[in-house]
């Protein structure tokens, strides 16, 4: 088993250090794990809240409003479930040593992009090309 990497509380990955060194990798691993924990906690709260809020509301408008709120909440949780899957994939890439590299070009993804979107799989340039191609094909 690998020894835990020391990471100061105020650590921020910098461009002047080797790309995806142990500290950067650990920084992103922790960021992803914390994000996943928050999402799972939100999901538990939602499930508990829905169990508690099951009640018979006599007013049709109030019932419709509550159903709309539940539907919105469930859609949000579904998006978060998909996000957890992407977080798990990013954690696997970290374990395999592939994290931080563009899946299209193999080039490093900028640290700023990874910090803002730690589940990113493409560099900004590759993502923009991909979206332009997608838009062209969608418009046909």
């Amino acid at each position: 088993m690998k020894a835990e990497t020391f990471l100061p509380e105020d650590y921020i990955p910098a461009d002047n250090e080797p790309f995806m060194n142990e500290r950067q990798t650990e920084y992103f691993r922790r960021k992803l794990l914390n994000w996943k924990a928050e999402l799972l906690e939100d999901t538990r709260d939602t499930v508990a809240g829905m169990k508690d809020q099951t009640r018979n509301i006599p007013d049709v408008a109030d019932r419709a409003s509550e159903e709309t709120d539940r539907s919105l909440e469930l859609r949000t949780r579904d998006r978060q479930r998909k996000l957890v899957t992407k977080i798990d994939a990013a954690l696997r890439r970290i374990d395999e040593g592939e994290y931080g590299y563009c899946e299209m070009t193999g080039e490093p993804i900028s640290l700023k992009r990874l910090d803002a979107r730690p589940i990113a799989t493409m560099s900004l340039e590759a993502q923009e090309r991909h979206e332009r191609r997608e838009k062209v094909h969608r418009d046909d």
Side-chain angles (χ1 to χ4, degrees):
M1 180 145 187
K2 188 178 153 188
E4 187 172 327
T5 303
F6 173 72
L7 198 62
E9 290 278 330
D10 60 345
Y11 175 78
I12 297 174
D15 290 326
N16 65 352
E17 57 186 330
F19 187 71
M20 284 302 126
N21 62 54
E22 284 186 24
R23 291 172 74 180
Q24 287 182 358
T25 303
E26 185 61 23
Y27 171 84
F28 287 112
R29 179 190 317 277
R30 290 181 189 182
K31 186 173 188 116
L32 288 161
L33 289 170
N34 289 337
W35 191 12
K36 180 179 176 180
E38 288 173 18
L39 293 172
L40 293 175
E41 181 64 30
D42 287 349
T43 299
R44 281 190 290 277
D45 292 347
T46 297
V47 170
M50 286 188 162
K51 285 180 182 176
D52 293 343
Q53 293 175 356
T54 303
R55 58 181 190 245
N56 189 6
I57 301 172
D59 184 61
V60 176
D62 288 345
R63 192 175 329 138
S65 177
E66 185 162 308
E67 286 300 317
T68 301
D69 291 347
R70 280 186 182 200
S71 177
L72 180 62
E73 185 72 23
L74 289 173
R75 280 197 310 268
T76 300
R77 293 301 160 234
D78 188 51
R79 280 194 302 274
Q80 288 181 340
R81 179 187 54 78
K82 292 173 184 173
L83 191 53
V84 167
T85 302
K86 291 180 179 183
I87 291 170
D88 287 339
L91 290 167
R92 261 192 311 284
R93 287 193 308 278
I94 287 174
D95 291 341
E96 294 166 0
E98 299 171 3
Y99 183 80
Y101 295 92
C102 179
E103 66 182 15
M104 303 298 280
T105 65
E107 295 293 315
I109 300 172
S110 76
L111 292 173
K112 285 182 182 180
R113 176 162 169 75
L114 287 172
D115 206 27
R117 186 82 174 154
I119 58 172
T121 59
M122 289 187 254
S123 66
L124 188 57
E125 298 78 18
Q127 182 71 39
E128 287 171 346
R129 279 193 306 275
H130 173 74
E131 289 173 4
R132 276 194 303 272
R133 239 180 321 204
E134 207 174 65
K135 184 177 184 333
V136 168
H137 293 304
R138 193 175 40 229
D139 290 344
D140 289 348

